[in-house]
Amino acid sequence: MPFIDVSLKHSFGRFLCDIHLKGDFPGVIGLFGPSGSGKSTLLEHLAGFTKGMEGFVKIDGDLWQEGGRIIKPNHKRKLSYLMQQPFFFPFLSFEQNLCFGSKRDPASLKSELDHLVKEFALHAVGATFISDFSGGEKQRAAIVRGILQKPNHWLLDEPLSAVDGSMKAKTKPLLRRVLQEAPGFRIYVSHDRQELEYFADTIVEIRSGKIINVLT
């Protein structure tokens, strides 16, 4: 596992986010805490979306950003960032969205896409547009897109919050397998403690912008 050394300090009005996470945590790291505690901000920091904020990001000693300066931009960090409300291009089809930006062999990409679409119960491809999908379908599509990117690292912010009960039960073991096989760090945010315990090997509790507990 990579050695993570992350520091984030920033004020949002009266709210001070002062988080320092350091260690070579095995498996999946789960972030738990109330809304507005700083969990999503930490993910954005790791993703390279917090330019101008104090702190730094070091992975295995490789400095990604420091003092508000981005050294390694997002597209070079080899990570998939699954947001609670994933973004898709409205003018591209479902299949085009999932394959956008890929430099992989088209035949290999199409073969894996077809397999994942079936595995994650997303059977409509090609001319169907993302706007036709429900929130849960969009979240499952974002997981498939993340897999196709072949990332080293995963950042997941409530990735199954819109997936309904029966489909969530089918999706969870598929996603856990993907995360277990990933070579880099995997950080999973959820308000559902039971869901977090299913995925995470280490749970980091954050409240009021600070880490208050680490459970392994």
Side-chain angles (χ1 to χ4, degrees):
M1 290 297 102
F3 191 90
I4 299 172
D5 191 3
V6 180
S7 177
L8 171 62
K9 189 171 185 177
H10 190 76
S11 295
F12 301 89
R14 295 182 178 180
F15 177 77
L16 174 63
C17 189
D18 188 2
I19 296 174
H20 191 188
L21 183 65
K22 185 176 182 178
D24 52 350
F25 304 95
V28 177
I29 301 170
L31 298 186
F32 181 75
S35 297
S37 58
K39 304 183 302 297
S40 296
T41 303
L42 180 58
L43 292 195
E44 292 169 2
H45 194 51
L46 282 159
F49 298 150
T50 55
K51 185 178 181 180
M53 293 188 184
E54 291 184 44
F56 57 84
V57 175
K58 288 182 183 179
I59 306 298
D60 279 337
D62 183 21
L63 188 62
W64 286 9
Q65 64 193 66
E66 184 177 34
R69 183 170 61 97
I70 302 296
I71 297 169
K72 178 175 284 189
N74 170 269
H75 67 277
K76 292 186 177 181
R77 297 190 181 193
K78 295 183 179 179
L79 57 83
S80 279
Y81 183 14
L82 303 190
M83 302 178 183
Q84 189 171 353
Q85 297 181 339
F87 172 80
F88 295 97
F89 295 106
F91 51 86
L92 296 180
S93 72
F94 169 68
E95 184 173 310
Q96 289 170 333
N97 261 292
L98 267 59
C99 299
F100 183 81
S102 176
K103 297 180 181 179
R104 294 174 55 189
D105 171 68
S108 172
L109 180 63
K110 183 65 166 64
S111 176
E112 185 174 10
L113 173 63
D114 290 345
H115 169 73
L116 290 171
V117 162
K118 292 178 182 178
E119 192 171 39
F120 283 86
L122 294 164
H123 302 298
V125 296
T128 302
F129 285 81
I130 290 291
S131 58
D132 298 326
F133 280 63
S134 68
E137 288 169 335
K138 289 178 180 177
Q139 286 192 326
R140 301 203 311 277
I143 294 171
V144 171
R145 179 174 60 183
I147 296 171
L148 291 172
Q149 292 173 353
K150 301 295 185 187
N152 288 338
H153 314 291
W154 284 83
L155 301 172
L156 308 98
D157 194 352
E158 298 277 3
L160 301 176
S161 59
V163 181
D164 64 31
S166 60
M167 185 55 67
K168 181 179 286 190
K170 296 177 182 178
T171 305
K172 285 169 63 177
L174 299 175
L175 179 56
R176 182 166 68 172
R177 184 193 69 205
V178 170
L179 297 180
Q180 288 174 338
E181 294 174 353
F185 61 75
R186 294 137 289 169
I187 302 181
Y188 194 108
V189 169
S190 179
H191 288 97
D192 185 334
R193 184 62 179 257
Q194 190 174 15
E195 179 179 316
L196 205 60
E197 290 176 350
Y198 177 84
F199 284 101
D201 301 278
T202 300
I203 294 180
V204 177
E205 188 173 359
I206 300 177
R207 291 186 181 273
S208 302
K210 293 180 174 62
I211 293 175
I212 65 168
N213 203 5
V214 179
L215 302 173
T216 56

